[in-house]
Amino acid sequence: MRDKFAFILSIAVPLIALGYGAVASGLLDIPLSPRTYVCGALVALLETLSTECYLAMISLNRILAANVTTFLRTAVWIVPFVALTYVEVDTRSIQTLMYFWLSGLVVSLLFLLWTFRKWPWEQIAKAPASYGYIFGEFRSKTLPVYLSDLSTVGAQYLDRFVLGAFLSLSQVGVYTFFWSIANGVSQLMLVSFVQPALPRLIDAKEAGGNPQLHATAREMIRRSLPMLAGLCGGSALFVYVALPYLSRPELANWYGILLLMLLGVFTKAIADTLNYVLYVMRKDRELITVNVFSIAFALASATLLIWWLG
């Protein structure tokens, strides 16, 4: 983790400095002041470091602490920011937004330091650096995982751009509304089911190899199916009851879209667990193949079905 941070900082800090010089001198023509650029660059850097800490805590089975840090850096600062912009109109700017976002990240990292306060920091600092990991394995291991994650994120947002090319803005808005609900259910499943699975799968792999890993994964999925189905069904029922009070008749007309999305969320929770199995087995190539194929299939099927069904 220390070596990974060193690798990230060795790339990010020079790039941020070069970018600042280009913005300050006018060589890079963007509608941002140098101060806003620095805030945005620091936000991107701290988000990257926070994500690495988040993954480390998940691997250490510190699920609650991992999600508290995510809540601090992605949600807590939004409430005072919105309140301030409501009272003071002059604060409605990208620079103010960056200040609050950066503050949330700093608070999150401080919480991380408090969480890891009992770690042997002196020994960690004196340990020899793994230069082979930093430089030698980037192409073979880090890059494939990065491409895999990029494909996974792209698949989540690609459908909206495809819809925008074929449908009206109102129809895209209906889709986005239902997608937001389904995405919230998906995140809840991620926190309650998918994330806790990783440490257990790692322990099973170390205790009994691949046979124990496969048996543990099957048992976890079997026990979680009723919970996942209940969560999806409860969400669908709640939205169905709430729709008449939203004064948006087009939402009720397309309610079936939400049901299909929730079915997809249900399937995705199981697929993510199986992806963790590949991750624990160090099947990086297979993992990236699955994720890249998923975004290609999503693009092709969405284009074909929208053209066919409208």
Side-chain angles (χ1 to χ4, degrees):
M1 187 172 175
R2 182 204 61 183
D3 296 339
K4 187 180 291 186
F5 272 32
F7 177 68
I8 294 172
L9 291 172
S10 67
I11 296 176
V13 172
L15 288 177
I16 292 175
L18 288 173
Y20 176 79
V23 173
S25 63
L27 293 176
L28 186 61
D29 186 18
I30 58 175
L32 293 176
S33 65
R35 181 180 299 179
T36 304
Y37 164 79
V38 171
C39 288
L42 289 177
V43 164
L45 175 59
L46 293 181
E47 279 285 352
T48 302
L49 298 179
S50 298
T51 300
E52 294 297 333
C53 292
Y54 170 83
L55 295 175
M57 285 190 290
I58 292 295
S59 299
L60 294 171
N61 205 18
R62 301 292 298 273
I63 308 298
L64 179 60
N67 287 295
V68 169
T69 59
T70 302
F71 182 66
L72 289 173
R73 68 184 173 89
T74 61
V76 169
W77 60 270
I78 295 177
V79 175
F81 169 71
V82 172
L84 178 63
T85 55
Y86 182 78
V87 176
E88 297 289 340
V89 179
D90 294 339
T91 59
R92 298 175 185 177
S93 64
I94 187 66
Q95 187 165 324
T96 306
L97 172 66
M98 288 297 176
Y99 287 155
F100 274 86
W101 194 349
L102 194 58
S103 299
L105 284 164
V106 171
V107 172
S108 174
L109 290 174
L110 290 175
F111 176 79
L112 282 172
L113 291 175
W114 179 82
T115 302
F116 296 144
R117 65 190 182 281
K118 294 184 180 180
W119 279 20
W121 291 106
E122 186 175 352
Q123 298 178 18
I124 293 174
K126 293 180 179 179
S130 303
Y131 293 107
Y133 166 77
I134 297 175
F135 299 105
E137 298 186 0
F138 175 75
R139 183 189 300 177
S140 61
K141 294 184 178 180
T142 306
L143 186 57
V145 173
Y146 168 74
L147 293 175
S148 175
D149 291 344
L150 191 64
S151 300
T152 302
V153 174
Q156 295 178 354
Y157 299 95
L158 180 65
D159 48 5
R160 252 169 294 180
F161 295 99
V162 176
L163 287 171
F166 291 94
L167 304 179
S168 66
L169 185 61
S170 175
Q171 291 172 319
V172 175
V174 171
Y175 179 88
T176 303
F177 174 79
F178 286 136
W179 179 89
S180 301
I181 296 173
N183 186 58
V185 176
S186 178
Q187 293 300 314
L188 186 58
M189 288 182 176
L190 181 69
V191 173
S192 60
F193 170 64
V194 179
Q195 288 177 351
L198 179 58
R200 291 183 58 188
L201 293 173
I202 293 175
D203 292 341
K205 169 70 173 176
E206 293 178 350
N210 289 341
Q212 182 66 30
L213 172 64
H214 298 160
T216 301
R218 285 194 299 269
E219 182 64 17
M220 290 175 60
I221 292 175
R222 185 185 65 81
R223 291 186 177 182
S224 300
L225 286 178
M227 181 196 72
L228 298 177
L231 186 59
C232 289
S235 301
L237 179 61
F238 175 80
V239 173
Y240 180 80
V241 173
L243 282 179
Y245 301 96
L246 298 180
S247 300
R248 295 286 303 274
E250 62 271 23
L251 294 177
N253 295 336
W254 295 100
Y255 174 73
I257 293 177
L258 177 63
L259 300 180
L260 293 175
M261 287 183 177
L262 291 175
L263 178 60
V265 165
F266 177 84
T267 307
K268 183 179 183 297
I270 300 173
D272 286 343
T273 305
L274 297 177
N275 281 346
Y276 274 162
V277 174
L278 292 176
Y279 173 79
V280 173
M281 295 174 64
R282 300 182 182 276
K283 299 288 187 179
D284 294 336
R285 295 294 177 181
E286 290 79 358
L287 190 58
I288 186 175
T289 300
V290 169
N291 289 333
V292 171
F293 174 78
S294 69
I295 190 172
F297 179 78
L299 176 61
S301 60
T303 304
L304 178 62
L305 292 174
I306 293 173
W307 171 80
W308 181 32
L309 300 176

